[in-house]
């Protein structure tokens, strides 16, 4: 086929060049939505993602000019947007900024300046899925259910019953940390995996006997049980705390006293302590 015939075929095709300094999914979706209003949407969309240099823009300008096409773009980097607008005018190409009208409306209504940073939406999506994965992880590896999760955890919490291991696991999961927790009970040996993980992944949670006694009595009361049960007795509590202390020393992990601390405060301490441990 001769070059002139190829050029003729290309000029007859309805082509829209989608340009983005990110993936370009938003721009492509908008173009498809508009195209369906014209003859069932028979248009070829050529996506040019991650455009972060004038050379990328120039390449699209040349192709769009040759094919008499439209350029639809979502560029948030001011210099690239300005360059594309200028070159489109120079070459007589229709170029449509899909973000500018709404961006201007936001800026005017909320009296704030946009960040002009590409790929922020992608970062938000990735952050969301990391958080969901972390929450699922915390549920799966709560209360020592499966010791295989210890090697995959970002943080491991150990302590006796009622030291806020589960609430802390969930709170930290909402900050995208994968957390596993292991209860320390004298009658049940901790899993071997606990002694194989790096000490800077593990935090021991301790509490004063008085506070633990108070919490456990309330727990028994809420369950309709007598507060004199062995679970809340001082002798049992002291036995458990002594056992937990031995395990924590064996693991060699940092220890945080959770007595009278809110979950948020303890979680912040855990993150600070582990960051300090890992920086050494």
């Amino acid at each position: 086929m001769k070059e002139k015939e190829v050029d003729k075929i290309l000029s007859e095709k309805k082509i829209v060049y989608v340009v983005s300094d990110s993936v370009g999914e938003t721009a492509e979706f908008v173009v498809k939505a508009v195209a369906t209003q014209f003859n069932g949407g028979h248009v070829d969309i050529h996506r040019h993602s991650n455009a972060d240099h004038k050379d990328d823009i120039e390449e699209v300008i040349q192709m769009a000019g040759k094919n008499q096409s439209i350029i639809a773009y979502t560029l948030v980097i001011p210099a690239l947007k300005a360059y594309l607008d200028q070159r489109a005018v120079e070459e007589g190409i229709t170029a449509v900024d899909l973000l500018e009208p709404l961006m201007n409306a936001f800026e005017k209504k909320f009296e704030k300046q946009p960040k002009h940073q590409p790929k922020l939406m992608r970062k938000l999506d990735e952050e969301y899925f990391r958080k969901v994965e972390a929450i699922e992880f915390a549920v799966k590896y709560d209360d020592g259910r499966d010791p295989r999760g210890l090697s995959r955890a970002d943080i491991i919490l150990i302590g006796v019953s009622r030291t806020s291991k589960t609430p802390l696991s969930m709170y930290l999961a909402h900050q995208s940390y994968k957390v596993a927790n292991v209860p320390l009970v004298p009658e049940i040996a901790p899993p071997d995996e606990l002694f194989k993980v790096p000490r800077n992944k593990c935090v021991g949670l301790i509490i004063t006997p008085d506070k633990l006694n108070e919490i456990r009595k309330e727990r028994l009361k809420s369950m309709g049980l007598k507060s004199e049960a062995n679970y809340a007795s001082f002798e049992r509590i002291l036995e458990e705390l002594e056992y937990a202390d031995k395990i924590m020393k064996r693991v060699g992990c940092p220890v945080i006293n959770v007595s009278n601390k809110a979950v948020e405060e303890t979680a912040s301490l855990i993150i600070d302590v582990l960051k300090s441990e890992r920086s050494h």
Side-chain angles (χ1 to χ4, degrees):
M1 187 178 293
K2 295 180 179 179
E3 186 176 344
K4 287 185 178 180
E5 292 175 333
V6 172
D7 289 343
K8 183 180 179 182
I9 292 171
L10 287 173
S11 66
E12 290 173 350
K13 291 176 70 177
K14 296 178 179 64
I15 301 174
V16 176
Y17 290 92
V18 166
V19 185
S20 175
D21 43 26
S22 185
V23 178
E25 291 174 341
T26 301
E28 183 171 344
F29 182 82
V30 173
V31 170
K32 285 180 177 177
V34 172
T36 57
Q37 302 298 317
F38 298 89
N39 300 321
H42 297 303
V43 62
D44 285 342
I45 298 175
H46 294 191
R47 193 201 295 187
H48 292 261
S49 306
N50 302 310
D52 57 6
H53 195 274
K54 288 181 179 180
D55 289 345
D56 300 321
I57 305 300
E58 192 60 39
E59 181 182 345
V60 178
I61 288 289
Q62 295 302 318
M63 289 188 291
K66 184 176 182 180
N67 300 325
Q68 299 178 358
S69 304
I70 293 173
I71 297 176
Y73 68 90
T74 53
L75 296 172
V76 297
I77 301 174
L80 289 181
K81 169 183 160 42
Y83 183 77
L84 192 154
D85 287 340
Q86 177 189 332
R87 291 292 293 120
V89 170
E90 291 171 354
E91 298 295 331
I93 298 168
T94 299
V96 182
D97 184 343
L98 300 178
L99 295 181
E100 186 174 34
L102 193 55
M103 192 90 79
N104 289 342
F106 268 58
E107 188 175 342
K108 183 178 179 181
K109 184 68 177 178
F110 304 126
E111 297 180 348
K112 289 187 176 181
Q113 293 295 315
K115 294 182 178 180
H116 296 298
Q117 294 178 20
K119 304 179 183 178
L120 288 181
M121 188 66 183
R122 203 68 178 176
K123 289 178 182 176
L124 283 175
D125 287 345
E126 289 171 0
E127 182 181 327
Y128 170 76
F129 287 115
R130 277 200 305 271
K131 185 181 294 185
V132 169
E133 186 180 0
I135 292 169
E136 291 175 345
F137 187 94
V139 171
K140 184 175 182 179
Y141 298 109
D142 181 42
D143 207 31
R145 288 177 189 166
D146 187 347
R148 292 175 298 181
L150 298 182
S151 62
R152 295 172 48 217
D154 299 318
I155 300 172
I156 300 165
L157 304 178
I158 61 174
V160 300
S161 173
R162 314 316 294 176
T163 48
S164 299
K165 295 186 299 300
T166 296
L168 283 165
S169 295
M170 295 308 300
Y171 184 88
L172 290 165
H174 276 85
Q175 297 183 47
S176 301
Y177 291 99
K178 292 181 179 178
V179 187
N181 70 75
V182 179
L184 299 180
V185 185
E187 292 78 17
I188 304 172
D192 293 337
E193 289 85 351
L194 180 62
F195 305 104
K196 297 176 183 177
V197 297
R199 63 184 296 276
N200 60 15
K201 285 177 62 173
C202 189
V203 172
L205 304 176
I206 61 171
I207 189 170
T208 62
D210 287 347
K211 187 63 180 176
L212 187 55
N213 175 253
E214 178 187 328
I215 292 171
R216 288 190 174 183
K217 280 184 176 181
E218 285 299 317
R219 175 60 174 165
L220 288 171
K221 190 185 296 183
S222 69
M223 296 171 66
L225 301 173
K226 293 181 179 180
S227 60
E228 293 81 17
N230 187 47
Y231 177 70
S233 73
F234 255 96
E235 291 166 271
R236 174 63 183 181
I237 286 171
L238 291 172
E239 179 189 358
E240 288 188 31
L241 291 175
E242 183 180 354
Y243 174 76
D245 179 64
K246 290 178 181 177
I247 297 299
M248 291 173 194
K249 285 178 178 176
R250 183 180 167 191
V251 173
C253 62
V255 175
I256 293 176
N257 191 325
V258 302
S259 305
N260 301 313
K261 286 187 177 68
V263 168
E264 296 86 351
E265 183 183 0
T266 305
S268 180
L269 281 172
I270 289 169
I271 293 169
D272 289 344
V273 165
L274 290 183
K275 281 181 178 177
S276 176
E277 287 283 325
R278 292 169 188 179
S279 65
H280 293 155

